[in-house]
Amino acid sequence: MPELPEVETTCRGIAPHIQGHRVSGAIVRDARLRWPVPDLATRLTGHIVRHVERRAKYLLLRFDHGTLIIHLGMSGSLRILPAATPPRRHDHVDLLFGARCLRLHDPRRFGAVLWTADDPMRHPRLAELGPEPLSEGFDGGYLHRCAARRRAPIKSLIMDGHTVVGVGNIYASEALFLAGIHPARASQRISAARLDRLAAAVKQVLAHAIERGGTTLRDFLNESGEPGYFAQELFVYGRAGEPCKVCGTPIATRQIGQRASAYCPHCQH
DNA sequence: AAATTCTCCTGAAGGC
DNA sequence: TGCCTTCAGGAGAATT
């Protein structure tokens, strides 16, 4: 499940291999992703990838005549491989660069490959997104304004891309633990001081994970490509029933906004 | 407007 | 061993 740190790591991993390189062809083996994949061969062959960047969990491959927008969904991954590498099951899309290719693998097909000839930031998928969590625009004050008069659980609020992008279930859970805030607490009933701590915690867990992802052996030229987080560093996510690492109380879980949510009943209020 | 529910899809895990 | 059921999960769409 690619979270923001993994998408960022993917972005950094593939950029050196395709930025400034000319697309020599494309193969769409299965166009049935979240939305139908457009005819990439016709659209991209002969064009040069000018820049690779990330916005939220979207990867943007900028060309002179438009931008390819890629989302990895729940199970997607991108790798740089020899173009002749036989495709495995669920290898849906190849962007060819001479002897190499950028290959999209996505078993659950929740991912997306979209094309826009206009400013990608105005694309319907990107236009309404909130600030990047690691940007200056995201802080306690901003979160406090978002939380005002909102009765939704704080966990739902920070996982909503309109509030802030890239905070998935793992990092929302971990950040709320670090901030000592119960995931189900009504957003409007949390003090500005505690929201300061929450914003800081979100930045902390994401920055740490990105740092780990960047320093971990991730070779986009070969296999590898494991999750960008480390189970032994998690305080609550995936630890239901296990003792809290701080106080020893068993970690509890409950459904919040259709998502499993783990928290420490003693440390989080 | 805000909140909630439904939906997509497959691999993994659990039950027997 | 193997078949069947259940479930997770990002985020858009539909619904209340």
Side-chain angles (χ1 to χ4, degrees):
Chain A
M1 52 203 93
E3 295 249 3
L4 184 135
E6 291 175 76
V7 179
E8 177 64 24
T9 300
T10 297
C11 182
R12 296 179 188 180
I14 66 173
H17 301 289
I18 65 175
Q19 217 160 256
H21 291 248
R22 189 182 302 274
V23 175
S24 56
I27 301 170
V28 179
R29 298 187 190 81
D30 193 338
R32 299 172 304 161
L33 300 188
R34 188 78 155 78
W35 294 278
V37 178
D39 179 357
L40 301 180
T42 301
R43 194 155 270 154
L44 300 178
T45 301
H47 294 274
I48 294 172
V49 178
R50 295 299 181 187
H51 193 243
V52 180
E53 61 194 84
R54 177 188 65 74
R55 169 71 174 114
K57 291 180 185 171
Y58 292 92
L59 288 166
L60 308 180
L61 275 56
R62 290 186 182 265
F63 294 81
D64 288 331
H65 65 312
T67 301
L68 198 65
I69 302 172
I70 301 174
H71 196 289
L72 300 177
M74 272 288 309
S75 56
S77 61
L78 286 168
R79 287 161 59 200
I80 304 288
L81 296 166
T85 307
R88 302 165 300 168
R89 194 173 178 211
H90 306 309
D91 283 346
H92 305 311
V93 176
D94 283 0
L95 264 197
L96 306 172
F97 296 89
R100 284 181 177 164
C101 76
L102 176 69
R103 179 165 290 175
L104 174 66
H105 177 80
D106 186 4
R108 294 185 189 177
R109 294 194 276 117
F110 283 9
V113 178
L114 306 167
W115 173 259
T116 178
D118 304 317
D119 176 1
M121 300 307 175
R122 290 206 165 78
H123 188 280
R125 298 279 74 76
L126 304 180
E128 307 299 323
L129 295 176
E132 290 287 328
L134 296 176
S135 70
E136 287 185 7
F138 177 70
D139 60 16
Y142 169 79
L143 209 44
H144 192 235
R145 292 192 293 280
C146 290
R149 293 176 296 284
R150 297 289 292 273
R151 277 171 280 189
I154 184 62
K155 180 159 179 279
S156 299
L157 186 74
I158 62 173
M159 288 183 70
D160 182 345
H162 297 97
T163 305
V164 58
V165 301
V167 183
N169 205 18
I170 297 175
Y171 296 108
S173 302
E174 293 298 304
L176 285 164
F177 175 82
L178 292 180
I181 298 172
H182 193 291
R185 172 164 288 270
S187 302
Q188 63 184 350
R189 294 187 55 246
I190 304 172
S191 71
R194 300 183 77 209
L195 291 175
D196 271 338
R197 290 174 58 195
L198 179 56
V202 167
K203 289 174 188 282
Q204 181 187 323
V205 295
L206 288 173
H208 181 251
I210 289 171
E211 190 182 328
R212 290 309 213 102
T215 55
T216 308
L217 37 127
R218 285 195 62 137
D219 187 351
F220 284 82
L221 287 175
N222 292 301
E223 302 297 317
S224 88
E226 289 309 304
Y229 58 92
F230 302 85
Q232 71 272 19
E233 295 180 353
L234 298 174
F235 283 97
V236 290
Y237 183 84
R239 298 195 64 243
E242 296 176 37
C244 171
K245 293 180 179 179
V246 172
C247 75
T249 302
I251 298 301
T253 57
R254 57 188 273 188
Q255 290 287 119
I256 297 173
Q258 306 292 93
R259 285 289 99 93
S261 303
Y263 64 98
C264 173
H266 181 261
C267 295
Q268 295 176 256
H269 299 280

